[in-house]
Amino acid sequence: MTVTHDDETPLCFGVLGPVRVWRQGEEVDLGPRQQRLILGLLLANAGQPVSVGEIIEVVWGQHPPQSAMNVVHRYVGALRRLFEPGLPARSGGRWLLGDAAGYRMQVDAGNLDLLRLRSLADQARSDEGAGRFAEAMSVYEEALGLWRGPCGGASKLGANDHLAFSAVDHECADLAREATSLALRLERARSVLPVLRCVADHRPWDEALQAQLLLALSADGQQAEAIALFQSVRRRLAEKLGVDPGEEFREAYQVVLRQNAADGPSPPAAHSGRMQIARAPSLTEVLPAQLPADLPHFTGRDDAQRGTLSLVNGHVVTQTSMPVLAIDGIPGIGKTSLAIHLAHQLADAYPDGQLYVDLQGFDPDQSPLHPAEALQGFLNALGVADADMPASQHARSGLYRSVLASRRILVVLDNAHSVEQVRSLLPGAPGCLVLVTSRKRLTGLATAHGAHLMTLDVLSQEDARSFLTARVGTARASADPPALDEIVERCGRLPLALAVVAGRALSHPDHSLSAIARELRDAQGSLDGFSDMGYDIRAIFSWSYRMLGARAARMFRLLSLQPVPDVTVPAMASLAGVPVGEARLLVGELVGTGLIVEHTPGRFTTHDLVWSYARELVHLHEDDEVREQASRRLVQHYQQTAYAASRLLAPAQALDPPKAMDTVAVGQVDNATEAVAWLNADRHVLKAVVHRQIEDGDAASAWRLAMSLRTFYQREGWWQDWATVARACLRAATTAGDAIGRAHMVHSLAGAEHALGDDDTAARLLRQALDLYNGLNCRSEQALVYRDLGQVSSTQKNYRDAAAHHERALRLVELLDDLPNQVSVLCGLATAYAGHGRHDASTDLVGRALSIAEALGDLDGQGLCHETLAHVRRVGGDLPAALVGMKRAAAVYRQAGWRMNRVGCLVHLGDIAAAVDDQVGAREAWQEALDLVRHLSVPQVADIHARLDRLDADTAARIGRSCPLRTS
């Protein structure tokens, strides 16, 4: 490999072989083995951070010396001085950076051969996908020319098994296979043979690579050597592993024997357990991967899988239209399981990601998901921020199709209610695939969109036997084949019913299959939805239900009153009105029968059919009063736990606690960390409880619960939920004539709108809230509204109004002796004063606020004070002091655990760092902020990405393509 340089970027790095560094054409002596190994590891990670712990493990294995960390730091310092001989001691330098995540090399495709290879590989795949085969082949050859041997020379440095090195080696082998495949089609096998030989020599157990070498030798007229290679590989596999060559290698050998290689046959695809289909070039970006986990024991549906493979292969090859497969069938037939299994099998063919949504088409307690809401979720996953989200469903659908126009995405639309619900969610691009499941046969989807319809029947007798055998074990199943067959038939060969029976059998290993078959035979009843079918699923559920004790059976019945099938032990204890210890035992009994499962530690769920069965039972066995009392206890559980959690997050909140009930269990939340964890885990349940209370006409309970959630929503960034819940409660309180509830919800909604960036709406709502609180003589709430009006005015840079609002708020909180809220008011006033040049007054106000926050032990308040003071320094032109202050604020926010305050602070920290030309510091701050919010639908995500993009552009403009690499 020949390297060129310029004076601006004197170093170039090589890791596609023994690790090497050049400075202006001269190779640098990299020192001892361990030092070279550390550099190789950093370069193999191509600019990504490597922790000190990982470096120690690579260098010394599982038994490092006590001085290992100091030795690593010494080696890092030595490498930095090798790269920059004049670098002062303990300086970070330009090339080898360190932060809390570890060490990383500052490299790009212009100065690291690995990144150059990846860039060329992407270009070659793009050219090949566009039909520019000759151009693609030339780029493949250039990329392969960069390869000098195993990554980093790791085997000679003593780290041949480490993932970072082996992953790069595997990547290069994949590239060699792709290049060879195209070379065979273009009859240019000779151009790749030298590199292919070398790569294959280093990967003797890679049969797919050996098969490619076999075909390339034959295509180059070297049939004798190809035959000798086959014999050698076969002998090696037999002697070392005791196995014969795999199907792909054998098929390649048959091609050689027929001397067909000159015709350019496509070598067989490597067998990986997945469906083998044509693939499109992949994109290098963060991709959506929303598929739920595949089943570990998926059985049967072979015809469905083959049909889907044929369908998708045809569309991938022709690229003429987008395949849509609509799977329908009765509940419990396995529609979702099949769709998810197919999606996992086909995922490799759709390299731009997978989207999944449950459309709630047949959920008895929830309305079908509106297409506009589903589109918002998909667009968020595809990188569209809420701030850029169109308002109408039609516009969202158009944007969705535009985003997918050049991508290959797999979309799973689960539990659809109708064709109309699905229509807007169909991409327009032929490169995508859509899998739809529904209890209805979506004939209209076939008529209007050419969908392929698939109606699932029960499993075949053989597949059902295999299904059950895989779960209960071969020994148990083979001990009593007649009983196994009877269970299969009594279950109607329905996958859900078979799974329930298997769960029961596993929980009672002492029960014979004959006993289980007899109990099924004696069961009575049927679910109304399946009364005309040839089997009775209610008998399956009743069999498990009858195995429960009386108190566990009662808990199971009451469980259906939970708004969504996701519940904890304290919630179930509250439903049943029993102590938590007893509830835990009863839950264990329910899990043992397979009626519920623990999907995450401490959280339980079940299938919707089992949930429906429980709902039938609760109406059959419990009267209205019992159901109403249980529901009231459940709501109290969520209200009391949410209130307790909220008090830990915001001790100064003035809302009265909910009325306690002796038979209600409160969730265990002893500190702010546990409070946030509980609220996050139950976020969707709490939202559903609010809506259930609204539907039941209890507006006061709904908005009081919403008030307990407000601080959590605000600090954790769940601002869309905040707005949705506040808006629903506002409507309910207004309808109920609940004046104080209406005032609180107007105020809360204003906070959500401000957080989401709609300051005009926020200001209008705040003025409305102020009028409402004035009429109710709520002086403390008036103070907070004035404070919030001041914050909105400051955001709009209207500092005169901001100061006036904060001054009124300060008079009120001082009159009320409200010390906790004085902190935020004083800081807000300081920001307003700084906005029109009163820096000394601003500093004095922050000093007063900090004294109060420290006396109260209020970490959030202390963080706000340090952040405000840093802002004042920044506005006053003292950037070094602002940088120090903002770093201190970020550290305090990190300790306090307030996510979104920390994010805002880190963004400001990055801005100040960029202003003093500390690009590394700016990137670190913005990247940390992005890591905190990338899972959220908040405007900050797009803002931070924009900052990082501008930083990348500035870096590129300064450095340019400073060290281009080219093949010799």
Side-chain angles (χ1 to χ4, degrees):
M1 178 182 67
T2 301
V3 294
T4 59
H5 333 265
D6 58 29
D7 292 336
E8 291 295 318
T9 308
L11 295 182
C12 289
F13 303 89
V15 75
L16 297 177
V19 60
R20 300 173 72 181
V21 178
W22 297 266
R23 180 189 295 113
Q24 296 180 340
E26 296 294 326
E27 188 166 356
V28 177
D29 182 358
L30 297 177
R33 178 190 69 84
Q34 292 177 335
Q35 188 165 295
R36 284 180 284 130
L37 180 54
I38 292 173
L39 177 58
L41 178 63
L42 294 171
L43 292 174
N45 280 274
Q48 297 302 309
V50 182
S51 70
V52 174
E54 185 178 353
I55 294 174
I56 290 173
E57 181 182 351
V58 171
V59 175
W60 289 283
Q62 299 300 315
H63 304 287
Q66 292 184 346
S67 61
M69 186 170 293
N70 290 332
V71 174
V72 169
H73 293 321
R74 285 202 301 271
Y75 280 140
V76 167
L79 286 169
R80 284 170 169 165
R81 289 188 291 278
L82 278 177
F83 300 155
E84 300 173 79
L87 189 69
R90 299 186 181 278
S91 296
R94 170 183 177 183
W95 297 99
L96 205 169
L97 309 179
D99 55 28
Y103 292 109
R104 62 186 176 87
M105 291 296 298
Q106 183 82 345
V107 289
D108 56 30
N111 53 37
L112 176 62
D113 55 1
L114 173 57
L115 292 177
R116 174 64 174 163
L117 177 135
R118 288 174 177 168
S119 175
L120 290 170
D122 287 340
Q123 180 183 339
R125 289 163 184 149
S126 177
D127 286 341
E128 185 177 1
R132 297 186 295 271
F133 301 122
E135 293 88 341
M137 194 65 246
S138 296
V139 179
Y140 274 130
E141 291 166 359
E142 181 181 355
L144 290 177
L146 297 172
W147 187 85
R148 297 177 288 110
C151 180
S155 60
K156 295 182 180 179
L157 297 177
N160 35 314
D161 291 333
H162 191 268
L163 178 62
F165 298 113
S166 60
V168 172
D169 289 337
H170 188 80
E171 182 179 351
C172 292
D174 284 345
L175 181 66
R177 282 193 289 267
E178 292 177 61
T180 304
S181 178
L182 181 59
L184 290 170
R185 292 166 58 192
L186 299 178
E187 299 184 1
R188 288 173 58 175
R190 181 168 297 181
S191 68
V192 298
L193 256 177
V195 174
L196 183 62
R197 284 179 190 271
C198 293
V199 176
D201 284 345
H202 287 287
R203 300 176 68 82
W205 305 108
D206 188 338
E207 289 190 54
L209 192 64
Q210 299 296 331
Q212 292 277 35
L213 178 57
L214 202 69
L215 292 168
L217 289 168
S218 180
D220 194 44
Q222 303 180 51
Q223 276 82 5
E225 185 176 349
I227 293 171
L229 173 66
F230 175 81
Q231 301 296 342
S232 173
V233 171
R234 183 173 64 177
R235 184 167 52 253
R236 182 167 59 239
L237 291 172
E239 293 174 353
K240 300 294 186 180
L241 302 180
V243 298
D244 292 326
E247 180 181 358
E248 179 182 3
F249 194 58
R250 294 196 310 270
E251 288 184 4
Y253 184 55
Q254 291 301 315
V255 171
V256 173
L257 294 179
R258 291 192 302 267
Q259 298 183 346
N260 279 344
D263 295 332
S266 296
H271 180 67
S272 64
R274 293 177 178 263
M275 293 185 173
Q276 305 302 321
I277 67 178
R279 292 192 56 179
S282 60
L283 301 177
T284 54
E285 56 181 293
V286 177
L287 307 176
Q290 299 183 334
L291 293 180
D294 199 1
L295 287 176
H297 298 295
F298 188 88
T299 306
R301 307 299 187 195
D302 293 341
D303 289 342
Q305 294 189 66
R306 281 192 293 269
T308 305
L309 171 59
S310 176
L311 162 68
V312 175
N313 261 330
H315 284 275
V316 168
V317 171
T318 62
Q319 289 284 291
T320 54
S321 62
M322 176 190 65
V324 179
L325 177 63
I327 306 169
D328 62 85
I330 64 170
I333 200 67
K335 302 179 295 293
T336 297
S337 297
L338 175 61
I340 291 172
H341 182 69
L342 288 172
H344 279 283
Q345 295 294 298
L346 296 166
D348 284 351
Y350 296 90
D352 297 330
Q354 311 95 43
L355 298 172
Y356 171 90
V357 65
D358 179 2
L359 295 172
Q360 303 169 185
F362 296 90
D363 192 317
D365 290 330
Q366 300 185 74
S367 300
L369 191 68
H370 196 280
E373 189 172 351
L375 284 165
Q376 180 172 354
F378 280 173
L379 287 168
N380 287 156
L382 292 165
V384 178
D386 283 334
D388 300 322
M389 193 70 61
S392 71
Q393 175 184 326
H394 179 75
R396 288 182 184 183
S397 182
L399 178 59
Y400 170 69
R401 292 189 175 106
S402 298
V403 171
L404 296 186
S406 60
R407 303 191 187 188
R408 291 183 57 77
I409 292 277
L410 192 155
V411 183
V412 179
L413 307 176
D414 195 16
N415 198 17
H417 183 266
S418 64
V419 174
E420 289 303 316
Q421 190 185 26
V422 169
R423 196 186 307 276
S424 298
L425 306 177
L426 298 178
C432 296
L433 167 67
V434 181
L435 303 178
V436 187
T437 73
S438 178
R439 295 183 188 178
K440 296 180 179 178
R441 187 167 177 80
L442 301 179
T443 306
L445 205 58
T447 303
H449 299 280
H452 300 261
L453 304 182
M454 178 188 296
T455 300
L456 291 187
D457 199 355
V458 295
L459 294 171
S460 68
Q461 180 77 11
E462 189 57 36
D463 283 343
R465 284 173 55 90
S466 299
F467 184 106
L468 199 54
T469 300
R471 286 157 177 78
V472 304
T474 303
R476 199 170 178 187
S478 60
D480 198 348
L484 184 73
D485 288 339
E486 183 176 358
I487 290 171
V488 166
E489 288 308 313
R490 294 286 177 183
C491 289
R493 293 176 283 134
L494 187 70
L496 176 60
L498 289 165
V500 173
V501 172
R504 180 60 181 167
L506 288 174
S507 66
H508 290 276
D510 54 325
H511 286 199
S512 68
L513 292 186
S514 294
I516 293 174
R518 182 170 57 254
E519 292 186 52
L520 284 176
R521 195 182 313 130
D522 295 338
Q524 300 296 322
S526 64
L527 287 172
D528 294 341
F530 310 112
S531 59
D532 60 342
M533 305 277 178
Y535 47 85
D536 190 348
I537 195 170
R538 188 181 281 123
I540 307 300
F541 297 151
S542 66
W543 165 77
S544 291
Y545 171 73
R546 287 190 296 109
M547 298 296 292
L548 298 171
R551 297 180 70 80
R554 176 175 176 269
M555 175 177 280
F556 175 66
R557 295 194 297 269
L558 295 175
L559 193 56
S560 65
L561 301 176
Q562 168 86 349
V564 295
D566 184 14
V567 65
T568 61
V569 171
M572 286 188 273
S574 301
L575 266 171
V578 300
V580 172
E582 181 180 345
R584 189 168 285 112
L585 294 175
L586 299 177
V587 169
E589 196 173 344
L590 292 175
V591 171
T593 62
L595 287 171
I596 65 173
V597 295
E598 189 174 15
H599 65 93
T600 57
R603 304 194 69 85
F604 301 86
T605 189
T606 189
H607 191 278
D608 58 358
L609 285 181
V610 180
W611 207 256
S612 298
Y613 178 62
R615 189 177 297 110
E616 281 189 1
L617 292 175
V618 79
H619 285 276
L620 182 64
H621 295 287
E622 312 292 349
D623 59 30
D624 291 346
E625 183 179 355
V626 170
R627 295 197 303 271
E628 184 177 341
Q629 289 176 350
S631 295
R632 190 179 301 120
R633 289 193 300 268
L634 181 68
V635 171
Q636 279 293 312
H637 159 75
Y638 287 114
Q639 286 185 326
Q640 290 185 41
T641 309
Y643 180 82
S646 182
R647 291 284 296 183
L648 290 167
L649 302 182
Q653 68 175 352
L655 195 66
D656 293 334
K659 183 179 178 180
M661 296 174 65
D662 293 337
T663 53
V664 170
V666 180
Q668 191 74 21
V669 284
D670 294 330
N671 52 56
T673 301
E674 290 182 359
V676 170
W678 182 85
L679 289 163
N680 268 314
D682 273 292
R683 181 171 64 92
H684 295 297
V685 180
L686 290 162
K687 185 178 177 182
V689 170
V690 169
H691 287 291
R692 168 75 67 83
Q693 291 304 103
I694 291 173
E695 291 170 3
D696 291 346
D698 192 351
S701 291
W703 70 255
R704 287 181 181 277
L705 178 55
M707 287 292 286
S708 293
L709 300 176
R710 181 175 62 177
T711 299
F712 161 68
Y713 285 151
Q714 180 181 8
R715 66 176 277 157
E716 287 298 299
W718 300 114
W719 296 343
Q720 294 291 340
D721 283 358
W722 183 10
T724 299
V725 167
R727 199 173 287 117
C729 289
L730 174 58
R731 288 193 296 266
T734 302
T735 301
D738 187 339
I740 186 65
R742 181 185 176 204
H744 283 321
M745 289 300 99
V746 170
H747 188 194
S748 183
L749 182 57
E753 296 290 2
H754 174 56
L756 290 168
D758 190 349
D759 288 324
D760 291 338
T761 299
R764 176 178 56 79
L765 290 168
L766 287 169
R767 288 190 290 270
Q768 183 181 346
L770 187 61
D771 291 340
L772 293 169
Y773 284 136
N774 284 338
L776 296 166
N777 197 30
C778 296
R779 302 177 74 187
S780 61
E781 284 78 7
Q782 292 173 41
L784 299 182
V785 174
Y786 279 124
R787 178 201 64 190
D788 295 345
L789 278 167
Q791 290 178 351
V792 172
S793 296
S794 287
T795 303
Q796 297 173 323
K797 301 190 182 306
N798 184 354
Y799 297 113
R800 188 174 302 279
D801 285 354
H805 291 313
H806 278 109
E807 286 166 350
R808 297 193 68 173
L810 184 59
R811 288 194 292 271
L812 283 171
V813 293
E814 289 179 336
L815 181 66
L816 296 168
D817 198 26
D818 183 356
L819 287 176
N821 284 313
Q822 284 183 34
V823 175
S824 59
V825 172
L826 286 166
C827 286
L829 183 57
T831 300
Y833 281 180
H836 46 74
R838 299 176 61 183
H839 301 133
D840 291 340
S842 296
T843 303
D844 292 342
L845 289 170
V846 175
R848 286 172 56 189
L850 184 58
S851 297
I852 297 171
E854 290 175 342
L856 294 173
D858 178 7
L859 279 176
D860 292 329
Q862 292 172 43
L864 177 61
C865 293
H866 291 300
E867 183 181 14
T868 305
L869 186 58
H871 171 73
V872 173
R873 298 283 187 253
R874 179 186 181 188
V875 172
D878 190 351
L879 294 182
L883 189 65
V884 172
M886 203 63 77
K887 287 181 178 179
R888 186 174 183 183
V892 175
Y893 280 139
R894 185 181 297 110
Q895 184 181 358
W898 190 299
R899 179 187 298 271
M900 297 311 295
N901 280 355
R902 182 180 166 195
V903 168
C905 181
L906 287 167
V907 171
H908 295 150
L909 174 59
D911 291 345
I912 299 171
V916 299
D917 204 28
D918 179 6
Q919 293 194 351
V920 173
R923 183 180 300 278
E924 290 175 349
W926 290 335
Q927 189 61 55
E928 184 179 351
L930 182 61
D931 291 341
L932 289 169
V933 296
R934 63 172 72 252
H935 66 290
L936 297 169
S937 297
V938 294
Q940 281 83 344
V941 175
D943 293 343
I944 297 168
H945 274 300
R947 283 171 163 83
L948 288 168
D949 289 344
R950 287 196 296 271
L951 186 61
D952 288 340
D954 290 345
T955 302
R958 292 185 179 194
I959 297 177
R961 293 185 60 83
S962 53
C963 185
L965 298 173
R966 64 175 182 268
T967 58
S968 55

